[in-house]
Amino acid sequence: MPDTRLPPPHSTAGSALPMGTLSALLTPRSVAVIGASADAARIGGRPIAYMKELGFQGRILPVNPKRDEIQGLPAYASIAAMPEVPDVAIIAVPAAAAGPAVQELAQRGVKAAIMFSAGFAEMGEDGEAAQARLVADAQAHGMRLLGPNCLGLFNARTGFYGTFTSSLERGSPKPGPIGIASQSGAYGMHVFGLARDFGLGLSCVVTTGNEADLNVGHMIGWMAQDPETEVIAAYAEGIRDAGSFLAALELARKNRKPVVLMKVGRSAVGSAAARSHTASIAGDDAVTDAVLAEFGVVRARTTEEMLDIARLATRKIYPAGNTLGVLTISGGAGVLISDAAEAAGLPMPQMPEPAQQKLREALPFCAPQNPVDCTAQALNDLSLVGTFAKALVEEGGYSSILSFFTHAGGAASVAPRLRSELAAVRAAHPDRLFVLSVLADPPLVRQFEEDGFTVFEDPSRAVAAIEAMGRYGDSFARAAAVPPPALPQFTLPATTPSEAEAKRLLAEAGIPAAPEAACPTVEAAVAAAEKIGFPVVLKILSPDILHKSEIGGVLLNVADVAAVREGFALLLQRAKSAAPAARIEGVLVAKQLSGGVECILGVHRDPVFGPVAMFGLGGIFVEILKDVSFRRCPFGEAEAEEMIRSIKGAPLLLGARGRPPADIEALKKMLSRLSVFAAQAGPRLAGIDLNPVFAMPQGQGAFAADAVIDIAEGDA
């Protein structure tokens, strides 16, 4: 299992990416093919055939003991017989021969190998052990492995085709700015095939297979530094090495390289399939969403959406605070686009009233609010298109403009003048994102694209891609995170503590609880209740009973001394009946809070990303609606406030319907400190639950009414 004690979000310490090796892997000057075949249709023959056909300028060294010549190239009987040490080797032999090949290549000083060979970790424990030996043999001599069980990679710019995919038989890629990284070989090449068919230009495609060594994070990191790759599209089933993955995403954001990711395994069935297919460690899907959002990665739901986003991203216009202005000749299309924008969370503010009046003067029966409907009349006077488009940009101030002209935009009688009018506005405002929805023949679509417009047939798909550009812009514009607060050093107890001990430990970290006292006797409970003030809450106190309400171990509204005595005895009796072996330390007497908003704060140790904090409102909001937000620990108060404000129920904290606003300052301080506590606690911390936390009215603080610190058993 990888080390999940990750560096904080503003650091990549300990997560260096092997850029030198990756450059040799992706841009080699020489390549050996172990198991080379004279048959261009076989696995060991395809890479040679592709490289010869598609212009690889480096040296190809086929290795096959049975042949002197392969596909017109000199062949060598063994790895030792090769006349030089290649930059990279392709291993295309059965599993039994792959291990010796790795050893010999590593001993000769080869720095990277692409392993087509299957029959390793994907086959079970024996295969996993054999795979581990491959890695150990390679690393002993400084060699890195891609695979095994992968379809390899190609670099469209250099003509290096270290792959046996048959998808190249339908056509080679057009060189361009989009890089593709995929754990799945077959699906990665499926994405490549679709991208090629859509006419997208590609820099490279890499598939990582079993990820015994190099992984999808390494490949994203290389693309983030590759000057020829401007947009990164990735497919992942699970993240094996969180450190390299997060370092790559941070590097991509720093270099303004948008990343669009298809992370599959959302469903329980899909997640199980991912584990069996790639032996990946799958974390909770909501946690994955939170981590991707932290680094500004857009998560695509479909392959079509991923390629739509990648295509629009090649315009390199990423508007922070994105707003959408719509120009249409169809009222129906305007409604459809508005619905899509609202569903995507893409703002469509109305045009200013003076601008609306100007447009009515130009065309009295237009609808100038936004969407701006210039009606079919604009086809009779195409100068209106320029007038309306210019108004959207200059007076509406929208950062993104979507123009809908359907089949009319593709008509020979309309297209030339339409192009002229729209292109003039776009040329005057190169910082704005211009998207066009038309139905036109491919040559005309290319002309619109050359004018600077990205063309979509479906306006709903266009809206999704436009919204994604705004997310990239917001991420790229985000200021560097302020380091989270420092906390005093502490030591976790050996086992899961009682509620009182948990609250004491948290209080040292600045996480306050309601006034309370741990009482071993009924007389101590009476004295504590009188000191705290009635009404109070009584709770059974035991490190072995974490979920007290399930056994009736919590009594509310205890109003006087007699009720304290009666309640004390009742709690002891219920605990003995429900959990006779439990250690009972007494009863916890706490002040009963009122007038606040019940919240839940928690920490879950994700198997991939380490401790992750959760925030939500209590009761139905968390139990039924699951209205919660997540963030990787640790983080500062600004990030904590983002979490608090991001939930759907946030208005209840902010003063909705005449309620007093809650103490957000105290709540965000508590959440931030909880995240630091969790990060400092280390892997023995399995989780924390503060439920409920009472967020009192503004200025009155926030207090944990219950606390559980769950300590993992055994070595973590």
Side-chain angles (χ1 to χ4, degrees):
M1 178 177 291
D3 185 358
T4 55
R5 289 170 291 180
L6 302 177
H10 53 274
S11 168
T12 55
S15 299
L17 298 166
M19 293 305 177
T21 298
L22 293 175
S23 292
L25 181 71
L26 283 144
T27 59
R29 294 165 296 179
S30 57
V31 55
V33 181
I34 316 304
S37 175
D39 185 347
R42 294 181 65 85
I43 289 176
R46 285 184 182 273
I48 298 171
Y50 292 148
M51 286 187 279
K52 290 185 65 179
E53 177 186 352
L54 298 173
F56 180 58
Q57 297 300 307
R59 187 170 184 185
I60 304 172
L61 304 169
V63 175
N64 186 324
K66 298 179 181 180
R67 292 185 176 271
D68 296 327
E69 174 269 331
I70 288 178
Q71 298 188 42
L73 298 172
Y76 304 95
S78 65
I79 292 169
M82 293 189 302
E84 64 181 82
V85 178
D87 291 331
V88 65
I90 296 169
I91 300 175
V93 296
V102 166
Q103 289 179 335
E104 291 183 57
L105 289 166
Q107 289 167 1
R108 279 218 64 180
V110 177
K111 294 304 180 186
I114 302 167
M115 294 195 66
F116 296 165
S117 309
F120 292 95
E122 76 278 9
M123 300 301 292
E125 291 184 6
D126 290 345
E128 190 168 349
Q131 182 171 294
R133 289 193 293 271
L134 290 177
V135 176
D137 289 340
Q139 290 183 347
H141 298 277
M143 187 171 81
R144 305 303 297 264
L145 298 178
L146 180 67
N149 188 32
C150 77
L151 260 174
L153 61 88
F154 65 77
N155 185 327
R157 302 189 309 271
T158 66
F160 172 52
Y161 285 83
T163 178
F164 64 94
T165 178
S166 58
S167 61
L168 288 164
E169 293 183 17
R170 293 188 56 245
S172 58
K174 178 177 73 174
I178 300 173
I180 297 173
S182 174
Q183 288 177 329
S184 169
Y187 206 81
M189 292 303 173
H190 177 76
V191 174
F192 149 64
L194 287 174
R196 175 199 56 212
D197 295 348
F198 292 167
L200 304 186
L202 303 176
S203 60
C204 58
V205 176
V206 188
T207 68
T208 57
N210 286 9
E211 297 192 342
D213 179 16
L214 298 173
N215 58 57
V216 73
H218 294 132
M219 302 308 151
I220 293 172
W222 185 85
M223 294 176 193
Q225 292 201 151
D226 175 31
E228 303 297 327
T229 300
E230 298 172 358
V231 179
I232 302 165
Y235 173 93
E237 296 163 356
I239 306 304
R240 292 185 60 82
D241 175 20
S244 61
F245 181 69
L246 299 182
L249 299 187
E250 186 172 1
L251 184 59
R253 182 173 62 181
K254 175 185 175 183
N255 292 343
R256 294 180 62 86
K257 299 281 185 80
V259 178
V260 54
L261 175 73
M262 277 191 73
K263 167 61 178 68
V264 298
R266 289 178 181 270
S267 65
V269 172
S271 181
R275 285 195 294 271
S276 64
H277 181 46
T278 63
S280 296
I281 301 169
D284 185 89
D285 197 62
V287 171
T288 299
D289 278 342
V291 171
L292 297 181
E294 178 187 340
F295 289 91
V297 176
V298 174
R299 185 172 184 180
R301 296 163 294 181
T302 66
T303 310
E304 180 180 68
E305 184 179 52
M306 179 167 69
L307 293 177
D308 283 346
I309 291 169
R311 179 161 64 104
L312 188 55
T314 62
R315 294 291 177 190
K316 301 178 73 171
I317 299 173
Y318 312 117
N322 197 14
T323 56
L324 177 64
V326 177
L327 176 60
T328 179
I329 60 170
S330 163
V335 174
L336 182 147
I337 292 168
S338 299
D339 288 349
E342 181 174 321
L346 177 57
M348 284 183 59
Q350 285 201 353
M351 288 280 283
E353 186 55 42
Q356 291 189 40
Q357 185 57 38
K358 286 183 182 179
L359 295 179
R360 290 191 191 97
E361 291 171 0
L363 185 61
F365 47 86
C366 73
Q369 293 87 356
N370 189 29
V372 173
D373 184 0
C374 59
T375 77
Q377 177 62 25
L379 303 178
N380 290 329
D381 180 5
L382 285 164
S383 67
L384 290 170
V385 171
T387 299
F388 277 61
K390 184 177 180 182
L392 277 164
V393 177
E394 296 182 357
E395 297 176 70
Y398 305 106
S399 49
S400 299
I401 310 295
L402 172 58
S403 299
F404 179 83
F405 285 95
T406 183
H407 55 82
S413 59
V414 174
R417 181 68 187 277
L418 178 66
R419 281 184 60 206
S420 176
E421 292 290 339
L422 291 174
V425 177
R426 196 213 67 82
H429 302 280
D431 61 326
R432 308 300 173 91
L433 186 63
F434 288 89
V435 179
L436 189 58
S437 181
V438 298
L439 301 178
D441 293 333
L444 180 55
V445 169
R446 284 194 293 272
Q447 291 175 359
F448 278 120
E449 296 265 354
E450 290 167 0
D451 291 340
F453 295 86
T454 300
V455 178
F456 290 87
E457 293 178 345
D458 181 353
S460 297
R461 287 170 55 190
V463 169
I466 292 168
E467 187 275 334
M469 298 308 105
R471 275 193 272 170
Y472 291 133
D474 291 340
S475 177
F476 295 155
R478 190 183 307 152
V482 175
L487 297 184
Q489 292 299 315
F490 60 88
T491 302
L492 288 179
T495 59
T496 295
S498 68
E499 179 183 348
E501 176 62 14
K503 286 179 175 176
R504 184 198 65 76
L505 193 58
L506 292 168
E508 292 180 1
I511 300 170
E516 63 184 27
C519 303
T521 66
V522 67
E523 296 304 327
V526 168
E530 290 180 323
K531 181 178 180 180
I532 291 170
F534 293 102
V536 295
V537 179
L538 301 185
K539 294 185 277 188
I540 194 68
L541 189 59
S542 168
D544 301 320
I545 303 175
L546 299 182
H547 303 288
K548 295 176 282 293
S549 59
E550 294 179 2
I551 68 161
V554 180
L555 301 177
L556 304 176
N557 298 309
V558 179
D560 53 34
V561 168
V564 171
R565 293 182 180 277
E566 181 181 345
F568 193 99
L570 178 61
L571 290 178
L572 293 184
Q573 185 272 325
R574 286 178 175 176
K576 183 177 181 180
S577 176
R583 294 166 292 170
I584 306 301
E585 297 178 356
V587 168
L588 194 67
V589 180
K591 179 178 180 61
Q592 181 156 317
L593 299 174
S594 61
V597 179
E598 287 192 28
C599 303
I600 179 170
L601 280 67
V603 171
H604 160 69
R605 175 163 289 278
D606 184 80
V608 176
F609 297 111
V612 175
M614 180 188 76
F615 174 82
L617 298 183
I620 186 175
F621 292 95
V622 65
E623 293 174 5
I624 298 176
L625 301 180
K626 301 190 185 304
D627 180 21
V628 295
S629 60
F630 295 92
R631 191 172 182 95
R632 188 170 60 92
C633 302
F635 49 82
E637 292 184 14
E639 291 77 22
E641 185 168 353
E642 285 181 10
M643 288 179 65
I644 293 166
R645 292 179 179 272
S646 71
I647 64 172
K648 294 182 178 66
L652 294 177
L653 291 164
L654 302 175
R657 295 183 176 272
R659 298 171 62 103
D663 197 334
I664 301 297
E665 290 295 316
L667 198 56
K668 72 182 185 183
K669 181 178 180 180
M670 176 184 284
L671 182 55
S672 173
R673 287 178 171 267
L674 182 68
S675 80
V676 178
F677 180 92
Q680 289 185 193
R684 290 184 55 240
L685 177 69
I688 301 174
D689 278 318
L690 306 183
N691 183 26
V693 167
F694 283 90
M696 304 304 289
Q698 192 168 18
Q700 297 181 33
F703 303 94
D706 195 5
V708 174
I709 296 178
D710 188 13
I711 306 299
E713 296 182 3
D715 294 332

